[in-house]
Amino acid sequence: MKYGLELVVAAAIIIFAAIFLVQNAAIQANLGEGEEAWGGADGNAAEIIEASGYEPWFSPLWEPPSGEIESLFFSLQAAIGALVIGYFFGYYRGKNEHAS
Amino acid sequence: MHIMEGFLPGPWWQIWFIISAPFVIYGMFQLRRLFEERREALPLLAVAGAFVFVLSSLKLPSVTGSCSHPTGTGLGAILFGPFITSVLGLIVLLYQALFLAHGGLTTLGANVFSMGIAGPLVAFGIYRLGTKAGVNTFVTVFLAAALADLATYIVTSVQLAVAFPAEAGGIFASLAAFGTVFAITQIPLAIIEGLIIALIFKYIIAVRPDLLVRLEVLSQNSVNKIREALA
């Protein structure tokens, strides 16, 4: 199977997306006003801790001032990574083709 | 898996710094040796680091109704071992702590331990065991990467549970609470991560199998077998 693994990955992503869509429909139907689903797990853990009365003793030196700026830095992080991966795979591939 | 800034009280945040430091320092030592003796493998190191960058920036929705992200550390651990991967983890966690207010400087020790050390140790161990036992290479890579991802989140849950034992039920009750938030959410993401890293591994075998042999990740024999099967 030349592309067996690719097929497995594609199938897993489709199943993952389908589960999300079904789950999302169920969650949105039961959501109260002003509530938001699909928050981050990190934040949920922080909520549990804060519910016990704990106050964080240090706050971040710099926080992205808005959701847009935050997504800018997340996209930048992914873009830097993707660039490096694409560059070296392309480089190796081109080199192999040239050699043969 | 990020423990947010200021969310670990003393002595826990210091303890995790002390535990993580030797791994990172030894990793830097190993990195220097890699730079000197195996320059040809540096592109692969960049790819492994880049993988942590990409995967840990993707926040994916999970079955529990919350979002979390994969870690991407499995690839680095398989190729270069857990120590060098702990340095890669440190770089990504620093980026996120400084620019995104994700995780934090005071919790860096704990976060480096869960993502950069515990996960990679699991990946490295499983990969070595699976290879020795003769399990299919891609199945081994999948298991190593997926369980590394899961281990990271279990360790985070333990780190929070020991620092914040519940009033009723103690450490185990709060482990159950944090485990539900982190570990359960992570299961589907771990599966996706394992599959994607297996796929990347396949592409590395396709373009530079010689490097994998030289890094002692795969034997020439198994490279030949895999390339034959995929031809």
Side-chain angles (χ1 to χ4, degrees):
Chain A
M1 279 294 278
K2 199 172 174 190
Y3 294 114
L5 195 53
E6 279 84 350
L7 289 175
V8 173
V9 173
I13 290 174
I14 291 169
I15 293 169
F16 186 84
I19 291 174
F20 167 68
L21 289 175
V22 171
Q23 188 93 15
N24 187 39
I27 288 177
Q28 298 297 345
N30 295 317
L31 210 58
E33 213 161 297
E35 280 180 296
E36 208 188 55
W38 306 107
D42 294 347
N44 295 351
E47 273 169 32
I48 295 181
I49 297 169
E50 278 181 325
S52 72
Y54 178 81
E55 294 269 335
W57 60 276
F58 196 78
S59 20
L61 301 175
W62 187 80
E63 260 179 280
S66 75
E68 278 71 18
I69 313 255
E70 186 179 1
S71 64
L72 163 72
F73 279 105
F74 266 119
S75 322
L76 202 61
Q77 188 190 330
I80 294 169
L83 194 79
V84 172
I85 296 170
Y87 176 82
F88 284 115
F89 272 99
Y91 170 73
Y92 280 150
R93 208 187 151 149
K95 214 170 155 188
N96 284 348
E97 253 167 42
H98 190 71
S100 63
Chain B
M1 46 74 42
H2 296 88
I3 300 178
M4 302 219 291
E5 185 74 285
F7 270 86
L8 270 187
W12 292 107
W13 67 271
Q14 295 99 322
I15 289 176
W16 291 112
F17 266 102
I18 293 167
I19 295 177
S20 294
F23 287 89
V24 174
I25 292 168
Y26 186 62
M28 286 175 173
F29 178 76
Q30 279 195 334
L31 260 184
R32 224 185 86 175
R33 233 180 35 200
L34 193 78
F35 271 79
E36 280 163 6
E37 293 169 13
R38 295 230 183 280
R39 294 202 70 81
E40 72 279 8
L42 293 185
L44 219 47
L45 178 71
V47 167
F51 227 77
V52 184
F53 256 74
V54 174
L55 284 196
S56 68
S57 76
L58 301 175
K59 294 205 238 175
L60 303 169
S62 177
V63 283
T64 48
S66 57
C67 287
S68 186
H69 60 87
T71 60
T73 52
L75 186 66
I78 291 169
L79 295 176
F80 297 102
F83 299 102
I84 286 180
T85 308
S86 75
V87 183
L88 302 179
L90 172 70
I91 294 169
V92 176
L93 287 166
L94 257 182
Y95 175 97
Q96 294 185 324
L98 291 175
F99 298 125
L100 286 156
H102 254 65
L105 298 176
T106 61
T107 51
L108 194 61
N111 290 334
V112 165
F113 185 80
S114 63
M115 184 171 139
I117 297 168
L121 276 175
V122 167
F124 184 75
I126 291 176
Y127 182 79
R128 285 291 144 114
L129 274 178
T131 313
K132 227 176 222 168
V135 182
N136 175 294
T137 303
F138 296 113
V139 173
T140 311
V141 172
F142 165 77
L143 285 177
L147 292 174
D149 179 318
L150 211 54
T152 294
Y153 281 79
I154 291 170
V155 168
T156 304
S157 308
V158 171
Q159 286 173 328
L160 287 174
V162 294
F164 298 99
E167 269 174 44
I171 290 177
F172 288 101
S174 57
L175 182 60
F178 292 119
T180 317
V181 168
F182 284 123
I184 311 279
T185 305
Q186 204 60 24
I187 293 172
L189 307 192
I191 295 172
I192 298 267
E193 162 156 16
L195 286 171
I196 289 177
I197 290 192
L199 196 59
I200 282 289
F201 202 75
K202 177 183 164 184
Y203 297 148
I204 296 175
I205 295 177
V207 293
R208 284 306 295 270
D210 57 309
L211 278 182
L212 295 178
V213 175
R214 245 177 293 170
L215 290 168
E216 288 168 33
V217 175
L218 276 178
S219 66
Q220 187 62 52
N221 223 343
S222 29
V223 166
N224 293 345
K225 257 192 238 159
I226 292 167
R227 285 178 71 108
E228 231 167 74
L230 292 175

